[in-house]
Amino acid sequence: MFLGMRWLTRPTWPVGVGVSLLLLTSSALAHGPIPPQPVEWEPGRLLIQLAPAVDPLAAAASRGDLTSDLAALNARFGVYAARAVLPQYAPVALEALDRSAPGRQLPAGERALMDRLGRWVLLEVDAKVDVQAMVEAYEALDEVERAEPDYLARVVEGVPSSGSAAPLIGTAQGAAPDLTPNDPRLGEQWGLAAIDAPGAWEITQGSPTKVIAIIDTGVDLDHPDLAAKIWINSDEAPGDSNGDTCPGICSLDDDGDGLIDEDGAGTQKGEPGWDAAFAADDDENGYIDDFRGWDWIGAGEGFEDNDPQDDNGHGTHCAGIAAAATDNFIGIAGACPLCTVMPLKAFQSSGSAAYSDIALAIDYARRNGAKVISMSFGSYADAALVRDALGLAYSSSVLVAAAGN
């Protein structure tokens, strides 16, 4: 499928804002569908979803209890690295979650999605290895439920409308009647007029507590129209803020995922292989010092970091459309003037991203309270990993995708 051709929304948040974001990220209002393009994937990477009886953390660590058939296939293809994609949903984590709240019961659909997401493992091999041959070989194993390449998505570049913007005059909440925002490039924003943004603003301009996650090439954190709109993770502080050498508070499940004092791989303090660097992860969400979102470029290879600065421009463009500061004599007007932007950098400067990184970004947005997840990108590859990540996020977030720019 073309990922950008599907969008989901929920009627639990002001419809004017959700629909505005959808339409403003699309030039499909003025242009036809994109012709089919070749499916791409990341060389040297394979995603496998293990059968329920196989421990993904054991498979990722290649421990002695790894099944002989799976270990033999790993050796045959020269697998040199493996990691659980979403260890917070691994069986041991979900079992711990059940024990931590015996009276609480997750909706069956959400629990099933968590179970499926927790069984994904990313395998890395030499870039010359035939990934399609790996898919066939791994899917033939009883221990593997599904295998798929780590597909690539690309940001969707819009084509400017040939028409001019209609006059944009309306009554914004708390403003004088017939106020037109004074942003100097407002006249270029034909989309605001097309969706009657002033009509939506009469109902709500959003709120700083309504967070829009931008999964893209990052966001210019110092942009004059966005700097004051960037989400701040109030549960995170520099370093090990309380000095107790544990993620969050020692012996507490700070993030409510059932695991206690775990690192980014789901290993709990005291278990073999625990990464002491995660003592600085104050909110215990698996990301160290993620004050303003996260950068997944090179995830699992030691290159990801807490600086989601844009190095392409596309993510900043999308963030501005969504929530640029409005009526400030600068740049453009945002569709949701008072909303906050959560920068999630899953795309390289070239504009491409691996599905595994996209799935991580979607789940980060969900777990950290994003009410809207903006995804201005597309691919013709249908992948179970991303589909399940979106399914889980759908329970709490409005999902907005490019509509075929």
Side-chain angles (χ1 to χ4, degrees):
M1 72 173 180
F2 176 59
L3 183 61
M5 294 300 290
R6 300 184 65 185
W7 65 276
L8 306 172
T9 186
R10 296 182 67 82
T12 55
W13 201 57
V15 173
V17 175
V19 173
S20 298
L21 289 170
L22 171 71
L23 296 180
L24 284 170
T25 57
S26 171
S27 59
L29 291 172
H31 301 277
I34 297 175
Q37 302 293 320
V39 172
E40 304 173 278
W41 56 78
E42 192 77 44
R45 297 172 74 157
L46 180 74
L47 288 159
I48 60 172
Q49 187 181 50
L50 298 169
V54 184
D55 180 2
L57 299 183
S62 296
R63 296 203 305 252
D65 52 353
L66 185 63
T67 66
S68 58
D69 288 345
L70 187 53
L73 206 53
N74 286 351
R76 171 185 156 191
F77 284 103
V79 174
Y80 64 81
R83 63 180 173 89
V85 178
L86 290 161
Q88 64 269 25
Y89 303 129
V92 63
L94 295 181
E95 291 166 7
L97 184 63
D98 291 339
R99 291 195 300 271
S100 67
R104 182 181 62 185
Q105 199 164 17
L106 291 170
E110 288 185 35
R111 179 55 184 262
L113 287 166
M114 288 181 180
D115 173 72
R116 294 208 295 266
L117 287 167
R119 291 187 276 117
W120 283 100
V121 174
L122 177 64
L123 306 179
E124 296 186 61
V125 297
D126 187 273
K128 296 179 182 179
V129 173
D130 186 342
V131 173
Q132 289 178 307
M134 290 184 71
V135 169
E136 295 176 7
Y138 279 87
E139 285 198 330
L141 292 180
D142 292 338
E143 296 92 340
V144 175
E145 194 167 285
R146 183 180 287 103
E148 60 190 34
D150 197 2
Y151 291 113
L152 292 176
R154 295 191 178 276
V155 295
V156 179
E157 299 289 351
V159 180
S161 170
S162 58
S164 59
L168 187 70
I169 300 174
T171 304
Q173 184 179 6
D178 297 329
L179 171 68
T180 299
N182 56 32
D183 305 272
R185 299 188 64 182
L186 182 69
E188 302 172 39
Q189 294 184 266
W190 60 270
L192 290 178
I195 62 171
D196 186 21
W201 294 338
E202 288 180 7
I203 300 170
T204 180
Q205 294 181 25
S207 160
T209 63
K210 303 302 183 186
V211 179
I212 303 171
I214 306 292
I215 300 178
D216 215 288
T217 59
V219 173
D220 182 352
L221 304 175
D222 300 314
H223 193 288
D225 235 1
L226 290 169
K229 309 298 293 295
I230 303 299
W231 173 75
I232 301 296
N233 183 0
S234 59
D235 294 327
E236 193 72 51
D240 182 10
S241 59
N242 61 8
D244 65 356
T245 72
C246 294
I249 300 173
C250 279
S251 302
L252 288 181
D253 178 14
D254 300 85
D255 62 344
D257 65 354
L259 298 178
I260 295 174
D261 298 337
E262 78 272 18
D263 62 16
T267 305
Q268 298 177 93
K269 188 174 183 181
E271 295 178 342
W274 183 75
D275 188 347
F278 282 83
D281 180 16
D282 296 296
D283 57 1
E284 203 181 81
N285 69 349
Y287 298 93
I288 298 172
D289 291 347
D290 55 323
F291 309 118
R292 300 184 292 183
W294 197 253
D295 169 10
W296 280 272
I297 302 304
E301 301 169 9
F303 302 121
E304 70 268 32
D305 58 37
N306 65 349
D307 182 16
Q309 180 69 26
D310 194 357
D311 54 7
N312 172 286
H314 187 273
T316 301
H317 172 80
C318 293
I321 290 172
T326 301
D327 207 37
N328 64 344
F329 293 99
I330 296 174
I332 64 172
C336 189
L338 299 183
C339 286
T340 299
V341 169
M342 178 188 289
L344 302 180
K345 182 179 173 66
F347 284 75
Q348 301 177 33
S349 59
S350 63
S352 68
Y355 270 32
S356 58
D357 291 338
I358 292 171
L360 287 168
I362 292 169
D363 194 67
Y364 182 100
R366 184 195 74 83
R367 295 175 67 206
N368 287 278
K371 296 298 183 185
V372 175
I373 303 177
S374 172
M375 299 167 285
S376 184
F377 52 83
S379 171
Y380 286 90
D382 183 12
L385 171 61
V386 170
R387 192 187 320 122
D388 285 348
L390 288 169
L392 185 58
Y394 180 65
S395 64
S396 57
S397 305
V398 175
L399 306 180
V400 182
N405 302 48

